[in-house]
């Protein structure tokens, strides 16, 4: 099963991605993590990307596309992949379709997480993250046992600098500008399953399972 998951900041992509990965035994691929891993391991693509990053330039689509193509052909993708954060633009979507057709890894379903702005604002401003292990909490809906301390490793919890209303507005505008055309591209192919992600976690997960299993 080859899956794309999309949604604005605070829509629950991280939580739902973990559920999908565990349930369907697919590789969860975050393009941000993939890029950092290539740079860290000094792969040939990573070294080229590092040059762009160090000069303050965006890494070109062509380079990201090549990393993605390599990544989805690795052994852990034999049962499929869950792509998180890619494609971000229509150009990337078209390139992704071309490459997946060639290597027989076409997208089966696109999960589109829908959340209204008020719920997003509440989720974003209340989110806390462990600076050591990356565990995510919320001060209201899923607080840590000890305030400000991670249940998993005992490290301090922090609020990300971009977890503010102001940054949310910026990210939503970016999402609408770039991601909506991508979703429309996949809608025309009948691949998009819209999920009401403002519901409790269990209900959102039930919707996603049903959506995936209608195409599996």
């Amino acid at each position: 099963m080859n899956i794309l998951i999309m949604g604005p900041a605070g829509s629950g992509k991280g939580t739902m991605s973990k559920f999908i990965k565990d349930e369907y035994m697919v590789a969860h691929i975050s393009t941000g993590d993939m890029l950092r891993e290539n740079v860290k391991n000094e792969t040939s693509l990573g070294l080229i990307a590092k040059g762009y990053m160090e000069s303050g330039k965006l890494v070109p689509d062509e380079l990201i596309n090549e990393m993605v193509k390599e990544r989805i052909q690795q052994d852990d993708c034999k049962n499929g992949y869950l792509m998180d954060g890619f494609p971000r633009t229509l150009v990337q979507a078209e390139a992704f379709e071309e490459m997946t057709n060639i290597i027989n890894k076409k997208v089966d379903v696109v999960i589109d997480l829908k959340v209204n702005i008020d719920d997003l604002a509440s989720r974003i401003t209340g989110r806390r993250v462990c600076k050591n292990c990356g565990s995510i909490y919320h001060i209201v809906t899923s607080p840590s046992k000890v305030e400000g301390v991670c249940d998993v490793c005992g490290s301090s919890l922090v609020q990300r600098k971009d977890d503010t209303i102001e940054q949310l507005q910026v990210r939503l505008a970016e999402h609408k500008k770039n991601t909506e055309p991508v979703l429309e591209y996949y809608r025309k192919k009948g691949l998009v399953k819209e999920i009401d992600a403002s519901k409790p976690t269990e209900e959102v997960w039930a919707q996603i399972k049903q959506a995936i299993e209608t195409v599996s």
Side-chain angles (χ1 to χ4, degrees):
M1 178 63 65
N2 300 320
I3 306 164
L4 304 185
I5 187 166
M6 297 187 177
S11 60
K13 288 196 301 293
T15 299
M16 293 305 141
S17 291
K18 185 178 187 307
F19 289 164
I20 294 169
K21 175 180 178 288
D22 293 345
E23 179 75 15
Y24 298 101
M25 305 297 291
V26 294
H28 177 206
I29 302 170
S30 160
T31 47
D33 290 345
M34 179 191 67
L35 180 58
R36 285 187 287 273
E37 194 71 15
N38 272 271
V39 171
K40 178 184 173 184
N41 293 335
E42 297 187 334
T43 66
S44 57
L45 294 173
L47 289 171
I48 299 170
K50 186 178 180 182
Y52 284 98
M53 294 162 72
E54 287 182 343
S55 62
K57 297 177 182 176
L58 289 175
V59 179
D61 279 349
E62 295 80 9
L63 197 53
I64 297 294
N65 293 344
E66 276 302 310
M67 287 185 186
V68 169
K69 185 177 180 180
E70 282 192 3
R71 181 67 185 86
I72 64 177
Q73 293 183 86
Q74 292 177 13
D75 288 344
D76 64 341
C77 293
K78 64 184 178 182
N79 291 328
Y81 56 77
L82 170 63
M83 193 65 65
D84 178 0
F86 183 91
R88 288 186 184 275
T89 66
L90 188 54
V91 171
Q92 286 182 346
E94 291 168 343
F96 190 55
E97 180 172 31
E98 186 177 338
M99 81 169 73
T100 53
N101 281 339
I102 292 170
I103 62 177
N104 197 28
K105 293 271 190 179
K106 293 191 293 185
V107 174
D108 294 308
V109 62
V110 179
I111 301 297
D112 179 23
L113 302 178
K114 299 285 193 185
V115 189
N116 68 55
I117 182 95
D118 291 337
D119 284 334
L120 285 176
S122 173
R123 290 181 183 187
I124 288 289
T125 56
R127 183 162 58 188
R128 299 293 183 270
V129 181
C130 176
K131 60 183 181 181
N132 178 49
C133 72
S135 295
I136 300 173
Y137 302 86
H138 190 279
I139 57 175
V140 176
T141 57
S142 55
S144 56
K145 293 174 184 175
V146 177
E147 185 177 349
V149 179
C150 178
D151 295 344
V152 178
C153 69
S155 297
S156 299
L157 302 181
V158 297
Q159 183 176 22
R160 292 173 178 159
K161 290 181 180 178
D162 57 351
D163 279 351
T164 64
I165 297 294
E166 294 74 21
Q167 280 302 309
L168 174 61
Q169 296 285 2
V170 171
R171 285 145 85 184
L172 286 176
E174 193 72 13
H175 178 78
K176 184 173 183 179
K177 176 185 174 184
N178 291 326
T179 310
E180 278 305 321
V182 174
L183 285 166
E184 187 56 31
Y185 176 79
Y186 287 115
R187 279 192 196 102
K188 289 178 180 176
K189 298 176 181 298
L191 296 177
V192 176
K193 303 290 185 181
E194 293 190 353
I195 305 297
D196 182 358
S198 62
K199 302 285 187 182
T201 300
E202 297 79 9
E203 292 182 36
V204 177
W205 173 227
Q207 290 179 69
I208 291 175
K209 278 188 73 176
Q210 183 179 25
I212 290 174
E213 286 162 15
T214 59
V215 297
S216 60

